[in-house]
């Protein structure tokens, strides 16, 4: 079997590629590295050059019609032309290569579909269906919960999925693929009425990359704050609730050490992670993103999405602290953990075992293969 994975989402496709190789399956990854995270790929697309000068004023109009990035697609078309045929091709998102823009990705999908009889979509990241679901109000909170007109530019990326070019891309991809594979609870709920939607296949992780952190002893509890650098993420991922909670800890003179990761390459991210005790992921997600999975794989006490709906859907207890968007509640939970840290050793151990059982690359990879090979 020959597999081509297109695009990246926090290492999901990289981890799949590495596991497929271990299983003796040829796999290529076509990617731009997922922005500043810099994930490796076998076929690398250069990142979009910074937008300067008059291009800044033209970009919104070009993006509206899906033409922003078309020049980048044309510049890299020879790379795509040289690709061999594959049995399986999977896009991580309709907008799999962000630097190509909407129409560039539509052309990419069209060209690659001639190289494979089986095209798939992994539903991760924003798209028309997901953003429409968020705006429906069916969840208690979502990345749109902090939206107001003053913050409109910080929600530009989310709004762009409703632009004509992106709508055309979305319908083209979702109608052509054989299956849509949601990676998290929110994506499953968004796509559940689409007959092509499969069961959730969780985020894969190579457990060997993350050694279990050593419980603190005689030193302040170390809190790892997985905070992204963009102000838009501050609102959409609910970082303000963590910021306010940490401020409450400071006002109460709670002793802890804060380690932050702001827009650094993934290799540096992992180095900072080692030795920390608690991980703060995000507060406006029902399910756990990759940072939450990584925290649990490291045996850390992880604050991420874990609403009761999640445990009910998966029909199992998940050893993760639900990071609800309430700074006072978050502060109380953090204080209790810091002051009773040894009582949480069982949670740390359970977290690591949970990821080994439900998120290991080997387990997740076999689930993808089952979907890909199903007739």
């Amino acid at each position: 079997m020959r597999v081509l994975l297109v695009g990246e989402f926090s290492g999901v496709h990289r981890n799949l590629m590495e596991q497929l190789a271990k299983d003796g399956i040829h796999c290529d990854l076509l990617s731009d590295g997922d922005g500043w995270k810099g994930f490796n790929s076998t076929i690398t697309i250069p990142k979009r050059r910074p937008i300067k000068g008059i291009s800044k004023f033209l970009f919104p109009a070009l993006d509206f019609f899906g033409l922003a990035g078309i020049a980048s697609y044309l510049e890299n078309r020879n790379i795509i032309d040289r690709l061999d045929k594959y049995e399986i091709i999977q896009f991580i998102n309709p907008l799999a290569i962000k630097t190509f823009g909407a129409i560039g990705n539509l052309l990419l999908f069209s060209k690659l579909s001639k190289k494979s009889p089986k095209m798939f979509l992994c539903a991760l990241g924003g798209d028309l269906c997901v953003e429409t679901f968020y705006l429906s109000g069916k969840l208690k909170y979502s990345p749109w919960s902090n939206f107001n007109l003053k913050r409109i530019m910080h929600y530009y990326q989310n709004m762009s999925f409703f632009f004509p070019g992106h709508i055309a891309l979305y319908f083209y991809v979702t109608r052509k693929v054989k299956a849509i594979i949601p990676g998290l609870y929110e994506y499953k709920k968004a796509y559940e009425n689409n007959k092509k939607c499969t069961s959730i296949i969780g985020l894969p992780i190579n457990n060997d990359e993350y050694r279990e952190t050593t419980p603190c002893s005689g030193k302040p509890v170390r809190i790892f704050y997985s905070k992204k650098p963009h102000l838009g993420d501050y609102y959409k991922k609910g970082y303000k609730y963590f910021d306010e909670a940490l401020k409450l800890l400071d006002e109460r003179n709670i002793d802890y050490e804060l380690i932050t990761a702001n827009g650094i390459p993934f290799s540096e991210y992992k180095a900072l992670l080692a030795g920390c005790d608690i991980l703060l992921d995000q507060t406006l997600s029902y399910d756990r993103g990759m940072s939450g999975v990584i925290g649990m794989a490291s045996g850390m006490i992880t604050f991420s999405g874990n609403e009761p709906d999640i445990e009910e859907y998966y029909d199992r207890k998940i050893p993760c602290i639900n990071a609800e968007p309430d700074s006072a509640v978050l502060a109380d939970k953090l204080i209790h953990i810091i002051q009773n840290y040894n009582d949480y050793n069982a949670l740390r151990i359970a977290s690591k075992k949970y990821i080994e059982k439900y998120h290991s690359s080997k387990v997740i990879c076999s689930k993808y293969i089952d979907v890909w090979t199903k007739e």
Side-chain angles (χ1 to χ4, degrees), residues 18-29:
E18 292 179 350
Q19 184 59 49
L20 286 166
K22 290 178 183 177
D23 294 341
I25 297 173
H26 177 89
C27 179
D28 285 316
L29 171 55

Side-chain angles (χ1 to χ4, degrees), residues 16 112 118 131 169 225 234 264 273 309 315:
L16 275 180
L112 290 179
K118 291 186 174 183
E131 300 301 331
L169 170 66
Y225 192 179
Y234 180 80
I264 59 175
L273 190 73
D309 302 41
D315 193 25

Side-chain angles (χ1 to χ4, degrees), residues 253-267:
N253 296 315
I254 303 298
D255 189 22
Y256 68 94
E257 183 180 353
L258 185 65
I259 309 297
T260 57
N262 298 315
I264 59 175
F266 188 64
S267 57

Side-chain angles (χ1 to χ4, degrees), residues 287-299:
D287 208 340
R288 294 159 310 289
M290 187 58 90
S291 292
V293 171
I294 288 171
M296 293 174 69
S298 302

